[in-house]
Amino acid sequence: MGLVIVLFFAMVCSRLLYLQLFKRVAYQKISENFSLKETPLLAQRGILTDCKGRVLATTRPSFNLFLTPQKIKDTQALFEKISKITGQSQEIFSQILEKNKKTPKYKALLLMQDLNSDQAAQLNIFKNLAQKNNEYADFSAIDLKIEPLRTYPQSELFSHPLGFVRNEGGDWLGVQGLEKFYEATLRGVDGKEQTVVDAFGREMNALAFGMAKESLLENPLPGKNLQLTLDRDLQEAANTAFGNQSGALALLELKSGDVLALVSKPSFNANQLLSNISAKEWKKINEDELKPLLNRTLQAAYPPGSTFKIVTALTGLMEGKISPQEKFSCPGYYMSGGRRFSCWNAKGHGQVDFYHALMSSCDVYFYKLGERLGVDRIAEYAKRLGLGQLTGIDLDYERSGLIPSSEWKKRVKKEEWNPSETLSMAIGQGYDLVTPLQNALMMATVASGGKKITPHLVKNEEGKEGVKKNEEGLKIPAEIYKTLMSALKGVVQDPGGTAHRIALPGVEIGGKTGTAQVVNYDTQGRKAKSRKTEDHAWFVAYAPAENPEIALAVVVEHGGHGGAAAAPIAQAVLKKYFEVYHNQVWKEKTDEPRKKSRRP
């Protein structure tokens, strides 16, 4: 054994001496004229489909242009020529080089994607000329490859929940939405291909250099597909109903927590943001005053207005501070602490009980109820209903909103809570801030009898069961549930309800309108006349009223009254839901006159 080991090492040493002493010049010449070029092989990104299997995000073949910096002598001249062929700005090429300056020079960088066939053909001609004409020598640094490119067939319809991907240092990464949250699942594993090339970029026979082709190839592994909870039909209905208005809608299924629609307006075209966009263009989109990149469903928080009266009402019943039969007098205002708190109905509602207070959205009733409850009781129930905290949805950058308490004001404002502030809070004004998704969750929690619901967008991951089970949350006693739901149903079904205009034949709906002040009124009740100072319009709802299946929330920025601006959008989505899931057929509209819009 000792002799065998000695002979083995003697053979190895002799081979090393042979290569170093006798073949050094030959191999040095090879190394100077030939090099190893590495090209990434992109993994096929997982496909995203809606709940019925319709494709929302996929990949398609794309002519992509790569650049190997090691081969360039005159960078500016090469970029100028490529720019003339492709029409792409030289500035973008320079930005890519700068961004990847720490990447090894022999690695190919993605310079452009999705070239058309004419552009690809012209670049290929110049690359072939590189070995014959010194004028085009730098074209030996480029390569054209057909690779998978992410594409969004209904981009603007799903841009906020899906998000998009961008090329970061040669890797395609999700930067927003589901593309970011499920990056590890969707991306797969990239491969790479190494080839031996000469000084002109021509591929050489790897075997001549003692390298097997297989050893230079690592095949990519595709990412996993995801089926989403979103329904394209409902998403389209909501998008159409919004028109050119800014705002958001969230629609949840009660039993599963599935998010059936998630719409934020205005939207953007994700296909335009994948690559080849200059810093100037990106800045323009980011600084657009309409904020198209903002996912308003979970990243924008608004005062909830009168939709918060659901929280105040439930708190009063649960804490025994009000009975359904007790009546409060509403003369159109309420005096507290020497301050006048107005009702939206300046003439007053007269004597109102629980049902009529919610149905007609009487502010005075809820001022008085809020005064009985106090800020901390209301805050406790608001949070148990999902407000003022993250919902747990599978998306990043969610805002928590704000439900104030006496402890919060002392900690943040360094002041004691003023009892009069409870009156504003009780009707959804003051410090209160909620996201549309939170308001939809609040409505879903109430409609389900208090069950804890976690909204989510992925129905299942390829090879896994993805439906999440809801846990027990706030238990609402049957009698209280019946009382509250009856009043919420009255908001839509009762002719005096603030949302009666959207009542549907054959389907009973429960809900609550809301009008959230954007600016404070002065002592004379006036405000600047401007679209930006107009109130936000809210509507939250559940349906069917007797056996709730879904809940939603709609906000229209600067839309005015909830019953006039937000409720019709909800109606359009509810109609589509019952068409699709219950085969409901709607009769043509009659010429029956509508009642005037009621506030809030």
Side-chain angles (χ1 to χ4, degrees):
M1 283 297 294
L3 182 60
V4 170
I5 292 170
V6 170
L7 287 172
F8 173 76
F9 278 104
M11 289 172 62
V12 172
C13 290
S14 63
R15 181 62 179 168
L16 287 172
L17 286 169
Y18 172 76
L19 293 173
Q20 290 289 334
L21 297 176
F22 299 103
K23 301 295 288 183
R24 181 178 64 82
V25 176
Y27 280 111
Q28 184 176 355
K29 187 176 181 181
I30 289 172
S31 69
E32 288 172 354
N33 290 281
F34 302 93
S35 62
L36 204 60
K37 184 180 73 174
E38 184 178 288
T39 306
L41 299 176
L42 294 185
Q44 189 92 359
R45 199 169 176 87
I47 296 171
L48 296 171
T49 60
D50 82 341
C51 62
K52 295 171 184 171
R54 293 170 291 196
V55 175
L56 305 181
T58 185
T59 54
R60 61 175 175 80
S62 165
F63 277 119
N64 289 352
L65 176 64
F66 286 86
L67 181 78
T68 306
Q70 187 183 44
K71 298 290 184 181
I72 309 175
K73 291 181 181 178
D74 188 341
T75 304
Q76 214 53 43
L78 178 63
F79 284 174
E80 187 178 340
K81 289 170 185 174
I82 295 175
S83 180
K84 285 181 180 178
I85 295 170
T86 62
Q88 184 62 279
S89 167
Q90 295 179 53
E91 177 194 355
I92 292 179
F93 300 150
S94 299
Q95 287 172 6
I96 292 170
L97 270 190
E98 178 62 26
K99 206 172 186 180
N100 295 279
K101 61 184 177 182
K102 292 183 180 179
T103 304
K105 300 295 183 184
Y106 63 85
K107 282 196 171 184
L109 304 175
L110 177 64
L111 199 63
M112 272 190 77
Q113 67 177 10
D114 211 19
L115 280 74
N116 61 44
S117 55
D118 288 340
Q119 293 168 340
Q122 286 184 64
L123 289 169
N124 238 347
I125 290 171
F126 290 130
K127 180 174 173 62
N128 291 331
L129 286 172
Q131 53 192 291
K132 301 173 185 177
N133 191 328
N134 282 336
E135 185 184 347
Y136 300 101
D138 279 339
F139 276 90
S140 63
I142 69 165
D143 285 288
L144 284 160
K145 290 181 69 68
I146 297 177
E147 292 191 324
L149 174 67
R150 198 59 160 173
T151 184
Y152 305 98
Q154 294 90 26
S155 174
E156 296 200 22
L157 194 60
F158 290 94
S159 58
H160 289 101
L162 297 189
F164 58 95
V165 297
R166 282 186 63 77
N167 190 276
E168 302 289 341
D171 289 328
W172 287 97
L173 302 173
V175 293
Q176 275 192 16
L178 290 166
E179 292 278 28
K180 181 179 187 299
F181 195 89
Y182 287 99
E183 170 65 23
T185 302
L186 292 167
R187 72 171 297 172
V189 180
D190 290 344
K192 64 181 178 181
E193 182 180 25
Q194 293 178 311
T195 51
V196 180
V197 294
D198 64 13
F200 294 102
R202 293 174 297 193
E203 187 174 337
M204 308 302 291
N205 187 349
L207 288 172
F209 297 90
M211 292 178 282
K213 185 75 175 174
E214 293 77 12
S215 68
L216 300 176
L217 178 65
E218 289 182 19
N219 287 314
L221 299 175
K224 292 181 179 178
N225 300 331
L226 294 178
Q227 184 177 23
L228 307 183
T229 60
L230 296 168
D231 186 313
R232 193 179 74 187
D233 296 324
L234 301 177
Q235 194 85 358
E236 286 177 343
N239 189 70
T240 302
F242 264 102
N244 294 324
Q245 299 175 105
S246 296
L249 175 144
L251 173 66
L252 307 178
E253 186 180 72
L254 271 55
K255 288 183 180 178
S256 63
D258 287 358
V259 180
L260 300 179
L262 202 65
V263 175
S264 178
K265 298 283 286 181
S267 188
F268 62 92
N269 187 342
N271 292 314
Q272 294 177 351
L273 302 181
L274 295 178
S275 190
N276 304 336
I277 183 170
S278 68
K280 186 178 179 181
E281 291 171 316
W282 180 247
K283 184 180 179 183
K284 183 180 178 183
I285 294 170
N286 266 314
E287 295 180 356
D288 188 329
E289 65 174 9
L290 294 177
K291 298 181 180 178
L293 294 178
L294 180 70
N295 186 350
R296 286 166 164 80
T297 58
L298 66 153
Q299 293 172 351
Y302 310 84
S306 291
T307 63
F308 193 81
K309 290 173 182 174
I310 297 173
V311 178
T312 308
L314 179 61
T315 306
L317 293 173
M318 293 287 285
E319 292 292 310
K321 295 294 182 179
I322 193 74
S323 72
Q325 295 77 31
E326 184 178 359
K327 293 182 179 180
F328 288 148
S329 174
C330 171
Y333 64 92
Y334 179 58
M335 298 298 296
S336 177
R339 180 181 166 192
R340 180 188 175 104
F341 289 82
S342 299
C343 183
W344 70 265
N345 185 347
K347 295 180 180 179
H349 290 94
Q351 296 292 318
V352 284
D353 58 14
F354 183 89
Y355 174 88
H356 290 90
L358 260 183
M359 182 267 292
S360 63
S361 199
C362 174
D363 289 328
V364 169
Y365 183 97
F366 288 96
Y367 290 145
K368 294 180 179 180
L369 180 55
E371 199 169 51
R372 284 187 185 182
L373 292 168
V375 57
D376 293 327
R377 274 203 190 97
I378 299 173
E380 178 192 346
Y381 279 88
K383 289 181 178 178
R384 292 175 74 179
L385 291 172
L387 303 180
Q389 57 197 329
L390 302 181
T391 65
I393 192 171
D394 40 355
L395 288 174
D396 288 324
Y397 312 123
E398 182 183 7
R399 281 187 68 177
S400 61
L402 174 62
I403 295 299
S405 65
S406 58
E407 182 277 330
W408 168 84
K409 190 177 182 188
K410 199 169 187 178
R411 175 171 45 85
V412 176
K413 300 285 186 180
K414 311 300 181 188
E415 298 174 0
E416 294 294 328
W417 184 265
N418 187 326
S420 67
E421 292 173 320
T422 307
L423 278 65
S424 295
M425 178 187 183
I427 65 164
Q429 293 294 160
Y431 299 113
D432 306 31
L433 291 172
V434 304
T435 68
L437 180 61
Q438 286 174 349
N439 236 4
L441 180 59
M442 179 273 291
M443 190 76 269
T445 305
V446 169
S448 65
K451 286 183 181 177
K452 185 177 180 181
I453 297 171
T454 302
H456 54 271
L457 287 159
V458 171
K459 185 173 283 289
N460 64 68
E461 184 178 326
E462 192 177 323
K464 292 183 182 178
E465 288 296 324
V467 177
K468 302 178 182 179
K469 292 182 180 178
N470 296 322
E471 303 169 7
E472 286 298 325
L474 172 67
K475 291 184 178 180
I476 303 175
E479 196 58 38
I480 290 177
Y481 179 79
K482 182 180 177 182
T483 299
L484 180 60
M485 301 305 270
S486 173
L488 293 175
K489 186 171 75 170
V491 171
V492 179
Q493 303 305 135
D494 193 306
T498 56
H500 183 61
R501 63 164 55 209
I502 69 153
L504 294 172
V507 177
E508 290 192 327
I509 301 166
K512 185 71 190 77
T513 56
T515 303
Q517 290 180 17
V518 176
V519 295
N520 291 326
Y521 292 82
D522 63 22
T523 53
Q524 292 181 317
R526 294 175 301 184
K527 62 179 178 178
K529 294 291 182 181
S530 163
R531 168 73 177 171
K532 290 183 179 180
T533 62
E534 189 63 66
D535 298 334
H536 296 319
W538 276 104
F539 185 63
V540 295
Y542 63 91
E546 295 306 317
N547 187 22
E549 297 175 10
I550 55 172
L552 60 74
V554 183
V555 64
V556 179
E557 291 182 356
H558 311 295
H561 301 163
I569 294 173
Q571 182 195 51
V573 176
L574 291 170
K575 285 180 74 173
K576 179 57 69 173
Y577 174 83
F578 285 100
E579 281 177 20
V580 172
Y581 290 90
H582 291 273
N583 299 314
Q584 181 80 32
V585 178
W586 306 104
K587 294 179 181 179
E588 292 292 323
K589 289 183 179 179
T590 65
D591 293 325
E592 183 182 315
R594 282 182 172 179
K595 291 180 178 286
K596 289 185 178 180
S597 169
R598 293 174 172 81
R599 191 183 176 209

